Structures are given as C-alpha cells and as structure tokens.
Amino acid sequence: MAQYFYPPSVEALIAALTKLPGVGPKTGQRLAMYLLHTRAEDAQGLAQAILQAREKVRRCQTCGNLTDDELCPVCRDGQRDQTTICVVEQPGDCIVVEKTGQYHGLYHVLHGALSPMEGVGPENLNIASLLRRLQTGLVQEVIMATNTGVEGEATALYLARQIKPLNIKVSRLAYGVAVGGDLEYTDEATLGRALQGRLSL
C-alpha cells in the first residue's frame, strides 16, 4: 500500500519556506497550504515583492542601514544631529530607536556582533567604515546600542577601546528595571545594571 506524500512542487515550496528563520516543518506546511489556496494575484504579489526587495535594497554607503538609494533617509537628512552616532547590530534596531522619538542623531549598523565561536571577527562587521566616519572630527559622542547578551557586550567593549584614542565620548544605553515592572520579579543581574545606570532626580 503506497504512502501519500505532497506533490514534488509542494514539497519544494515547503522546503523553501522552512529555510526562513523560525519556520519549522509544520509552519512551512501551513504557509504552503495558505499560499496554494490564496488568490493567484496575492501569491504573485508576494513573489514580486520579494524579488523587488532583493533587487533594489542595498546598504547605505555611509551607515550601512538598508535603503533603496545610495544613502538612507537618515544620512540624507541635514536636520539630524551630526555630532552623535548610535551604533546598532541590525537595521531593525534603528526602527526601534526611532520609535522612541527621543533620538535625533545618526546611526551606524554593524550587521551582527562579535562572536569568536561562530567565526565572526571585527573584519566581518561594518566596523572599519565606522572608524572612518569618526576621523572627520564632527562626531562628539558614540552611543553603543548593541544587544545586552555576551556578544553585544563584547562588541560594545571592543568598539569603545577602538574609539577611545580618538577622544570621542562613548556611552552605553542604560538598561535595567522595565517601566511598570515589579522590583520583586526583577532578576539580580538586571537590578544590578539598573543600580549602576541610575539617574539623578
């Protein structure tokens, strides 16, 4: 008695979808079934959007953020504070910072973090262009907004050491107790960071 399997074209679609981050075999099957039952123009629109993004999107020549042009909108905006650069790991981190409405300077996207275990060294990140930007003498402060994990911390410390000889202020985002959070449920490491980064009232 023969076992039933998906047609080869469907299996290929599922295999392609499971290559996406966070998509396992079951989610891949659900997505494939959705795409097969959606309107043809919707499926074509999705395929076209992917191809168009792949064709048009590039890295900003100055900061490394994603853009359709040579420069991203932030680097083109002469109204931004040119004396401050916020260093982030990924393009999406810029959006998170922008949504706060509290930052009006420039960005620099590293496209990752130092991770010797995975073979990611300084030469694999967008670090050389950051150091070149700092040679202009315009920048007065670099804000490290890398993630708080081991790799993010190591990256921030490495960059701080590289920048120190340039006599540019290097700061780190303060982090600690979440707004609205109960002290009782805050872990010791987080509370310790909050104490170290405390502000005057």
Side-chain angles (χ1 to χ4, degrees):
M1 184 175 175
Q3 266 187 305
Y4 172 76
F5 294 101
Y6 287 117
S9 57
V10 177
E11 290 284 2
L13 176 58
I14 294 169
L17 290 167
T18 55
K19 290 179 182 176
L20 296 171
V23 178
K26 286 192 180 297
T27 303
Q29 287 177 34
R30 280 198 302 273
L31 290 171
M33 292 304 109
Y34 171 80
L35 291 171
L36 288 173
H37 290 97
T38 192
R39 296 183 310 167
E41 53 265 36
D42 290 341
Q44 288 167 354
L46 173 62
Q48 188 59 39
I50 293 170
L51 291 172
Q52 192 171 33
R54 290 285 302 173
E55 182 183 327
K56 287 189 171 183
V57 174
R58 64 190 80 176
R59 290 186 183 184
C60 172
Q61 290 183 352
T62 300
C63 73
N65 203 354
L66 299 182
T67 179
D68 285 350
D69 301 305
E70 289 185 5
L71 297 177
C72 71
V74 171
C75 288
R76 287 199 310 267
D77 186 354
Q79 301 299 309
R80 304 287 298 210
D81 177 5
Q82 306 290 310
T83 66
T84 309
I85 293 179
C86 181
V87 177
V88 297
E89 290 183 22
Q90 300 295 345
D93 299 334
C94 297
I95 306 300
V96 175
V97 176
E98 281 294 290
K99 284 183 177 177
T100 68
Q102 301 297 309
Y103 180 71
H104 307 289
L106 304 174
Y107 293 96
H108 194 85
V109 184
L110 298 174
H111 291 277
L114 294 175
S115 180
M117 296 290 286
E118 294 180 18
V120 180
E123 68 281 357
N124 303 117
L125 301 177
N126 191 26
I127 291 176
S129 62
L130 170 63
L131 298 176
R132 283 195 299 272
R133 290 178 77 183
L134 300 180
Q135 301 290 339
T136 62
L138 264 172
V139 180
Q140 297 172 15
E141 181 180 7
V142 175
I143 302 169
M144 295 297 166
T146 53
N147 293 331
T148 58
V150 175
E151 288 91 356
E153 290 291 341
T155 305
L157 288 171
Y158 173 84
L159 288 173
R161 284 197 296 269
Q162 299 297 308
I163 296 168
K164 191 175 181 181
L166 303 175
N167 292 317
I168 295 171
K169 178 183 177 184
V170 179
S171 59
R172 184 83 165 107
L173 284 186
Y175 44 89
V177 181
V179 174
D182 291 330
L183 214 58
E184 176 183 1
Y185 302 112
T186 305
D187 65 89
E188 292 85 355
T190 300
L191 188 54
R193 294 298 178 102
L195 284 167
Q196 291 171 10
R198 64 191 183 278
L199 303 172
S200 298
L201 293 176

